[in-house]
Amino acid sequence: MSTNEREPVKDQGYIQVYTGNGKGKTTAALGLALRAICAGKKVFMGQFIKGMVYSELNAVQWLPGLVIEQFGRDCFIRNNPTEEDTRIALQGLERAREILKAGEYDVVILDEINVALYYQLFTQEAVLALMAEKPAHVELVLTGRYAPETIMNAADLVTEMKEVKHYYTKGVNARKGIEN
């Protein structure tokens, strides 16, 4: 039974999905992480398809209770994923399963997991099984554009970020500390 079929409980962990073509999905998840850590909770963030250096990786130096692991190499979005990308993503999915099963973290964020699904690095069924195995107390957050209907239907909360206007259309590249 998914959490969205149960009566809401205040201290119950729920499943959140942040998707859409607008900016802010990872940023929203990091904001939730900050709020949780400031409340004394432990947070694990697994970043799928990301293997480059992003500014948020430095947060672990200042935020006890935050762990970030990357399950990717370079950003392959401009190319096709390789067998190595698939292997790393599958290892990341298994690591996420281990983290959830242990129940040590109050919040588990699987950043860009929806994009990994879009590129078929693993199956929707595997992610749905992971969602179903979530311990009751854990808040699970899945980010990334292209969230499949099946994932959104299994979630308790879905937020769609919609791009209305963005300065990258004027040639502004990702800026350190803002977009990366």
Side-chain angles (χ1 to χ4, degrees):
M1 175 183 289
S2 70
T3 56
N4 60 350
E5 295 174 1
R6 293 182 232 153
E7 285 294 314
V9 177
K10 183 179 178 191
D11 293 326
Q12 168 76 36
Y14 293 99
I15 299 174
Q16 301 186 28
V17 173
Y18 305 158
T19 192
N21 69 343
K23 178 185 177 331
K25 297 169 289 291
T26 299
T27 304
L30 286 165
L32 184 137
L34 176 64
R35 179 175 280 166
I37 290 166
C38 290
K41 297 182 182 296
K42 291 179 68 178
V43 177
F44 175 87
M45 177 181 236
Q47 294 187 318
F48 288 88
I49 73 167
K50 292 181 176 178
M52 302 183 318
V53 176
Y54 293 91
S55 297
E56 64 260 23
L57 297 176
N58 295 321
V60 298
Q61 298 173 33
W62 292 286
L63 298 172
L66 175 64
V67 171
I68 300 175
E69 295 181 16
Q70 291 185 316
F71 310 128
R73 299 182 310 144
D74 297 334
C75 188
F76 63 76
I77 302 300
R78 292 174 197 89
N79 306 307
N80 291 321
T82 65
E83 287 182 26
E84 181 70 2
D85 293 317
T86 300
R87 186 188 65 75
I88 292 169
L90 286 168
Q91 286 179 338
L93 192 64
E94 183 55 34
R95 176 72 173 136
R97 180 173 281 106
E98 293 167 3
I99 290 291
L100 278 170
K101 189 174 183 178
E104 177 185 342
Y105 294 91
D106 304 291
V107 177
V108 174
I109 299 166
L110 303 179
D111 189 36
E112 303 294 1
I113 194 165
N114 295 321
V115 177
L117 280 169
Y118 176 78
Y119 282 98
Q120 300 177 343
L121 300 180
F122 37 72
T123 66
Q124 291 180 36
E125 291 76 18
V127 176
L128 289 166
L130 184 86
M131 294 166 74
E133 296 167 7
K134 178 192 81 62
H137 73 281
V138 176
E139 194 80 11
L140 178 61
V141 180
L142 298 93
T143 76
R145 52 184 73 206
Y146 314 123
E149 282 293 320
T150 56
I151 301 298
M152 292 191 288
N153 289 338
D156 301 294
L157 177 151
V158 177
T159 297
E160 183 176 6
M161 311 310 200
K162 179 182 174 192
E163 181 181 314
V164 175
K165 186 177 185 180
H166 199 304
Y167 38 79
Y168 77 81
T169 60
K170 296 180 182 177
V172 177
N173 292 325
R175 298 165 297 152
K176 185 175 182 175
I178 306 298
E179 287 85 24
N180 67 20

